Amino acid sequence: MATKKMARTISNIERYAALFGAAIIGFGFVPVPLTDASLPKATCLEWFIAILPLMPFAILALSIVSRRRIPVVIAVALALVLFCAGAFATFVLIALSGGGTEMVILHGMTLALACTTSILLASALKQRTRSVAFGVYVFPTLVGVWSLAMVPFAYSSAVEASANRAYCIGEHSPIERELSSIFGLRGLSFYTTRSGYKIGDTWYFHGLLLVEDDSGLNVYNWSPRGMRFKVVERPGSLIADPFAACQPRIGFLEELNLI
């Protein structure tokens, strides 16, 4: 009896901890800021991809509220289908990304793991098996924490590099566009799938910081690994023009919405 009670207690702790982790995953992984102008024009598939990071929270919350668990056969089948679909989608994106595979793999596979393990955590599997799934689930949760942590790092790095001069932040590829919200600085949002893809003098950056001074524009590239903006040498010699990403102005980040 005591063993069963302890197992039930552990199960409940894991479920609530997983729900908290699901909230972090949702905030860290959702790809489109609410202020993105392209959102109203999104297709059904794009909408599905955009809300997919919210799936772990929805599954776990529903399981806790209803006090019911997914039957083992259904849970295992769903988990396998989701993981295979996520792996396939990730490999397709890798094939389309040129040389920039690291961030694509991190984003795609951790999201697949988050969705898969959330189903297993809400299932009627044995406690020991669910504990293993919980251990795997911790990884995408930590990736979500990392994604959110990049916001203050990028924000402070941009402010420091600009030094009260006119500046702006923009995405370089595959579409050049100005940063539309502070939320867009998350690690799993502020990167390009084409990073590292280089032909001759063409180079695609994760994200650009343009700072205006008396001699012209200084160009900085966002480094997820270094967690800061780094100076780009000879930006004018690049075929993929970095200067059109955005328009520098004083207090750029202060103008943006949070999300």
Side-chain angles (χ1 to χ4, degrees), residues 71-117:
V72 174
V73 175
I74 295 176
V76 172
L78 283 175
L80 284 174
V81 169
L82 270 175
F83 185 79
C84 290
F88 176 76
T90 301
F91 285 126
V92 169
L93 288 174
I94 289 171
L96 298 174
S97 68
T101 59
E102 293 86 353
M103 289 297 296
V104 176
I105 293 173
L106 177 68
H107 197 159
M109 294 310 298
T110 51
L111 181 55
L113 282 175
C115 294
T116 300
T117 51

Side-chain angles (χ1 to χ4, degrees), residues 4 10 95 116 126 170 185 258:
K4 290 183 178 180
I10 293 173
T116 300
K126 291 182 179 180
L185 292 172
L258 177 61

Side-chain angles (χ1 to χ4, degrees), residues 169-186:
I169 300 173
E171 299 175 30
H172 187 233
S173 61
I175 301 173
E176 291 181 343
R177 59 180 179 181
E178 196 168 88
L179 184 72
S180 59
S181 71
I182 302 297
F183 217 47
L185 292 172
R186 292 167 302 151

Side-chain angles (χ1 to χ4, degrees), residues 174-223:
I175 301 173
E176 291 181 343
R177 59 180 179 181
E178 196 168 88
L179 184 72
S180 59
S181 71
I182 302 297
F183 217 47
L185 292 172
R186 292 167 302 151
L188 293 177
S189 179
F190 197 50
Y191 77 91
T192 175
T193 56
R194 303 182 73 179
S195 174
Y197 182 59
K198 189 177 189 300
I199 299 178
D201 291 325
T202 302
W203 190 274
Y204 298 96
F205 301 100
H206 283 300
L208 290 171
L209 167 67
L210 304 184
V211 180
E212 195 174 66
D213 61 18
D214 295 337
S215 60
L217 287 177
N218 296 319
V219 180
Y220 298 79
N221 175 43
W222 171 247
S223 170

Side-chain angles (χ1 to χ4, degrees), residues 8 11-12 15-16 58-71 121-124 130:
R8 192 179 300 112
S11 177
N12 288 333
R15 291 173 78 186
Y16 283 103
I59 290 174
L60 291 165
L62 185 61
S63 176
I64 291 173
V65 171
S66 66
R67 297 183 180 180
R68 302 182 69 177
R69 291 189 178 275
I70 304 172
L121 288 171
S123 72
R130 288 203 305 272

Side-chain angles (χ1 to χ4, degrees), residues 155-165 167 209 211 218 220 229:
Y155 192 106
S156 60
S157 180
V159 171
E160 181 181 358
S162 65
N164 296 320
R165 294 171 292 180
Y167 71 101
L209 167 67
V211 180
N218 296 319
Y220 298 79
F229 285 100

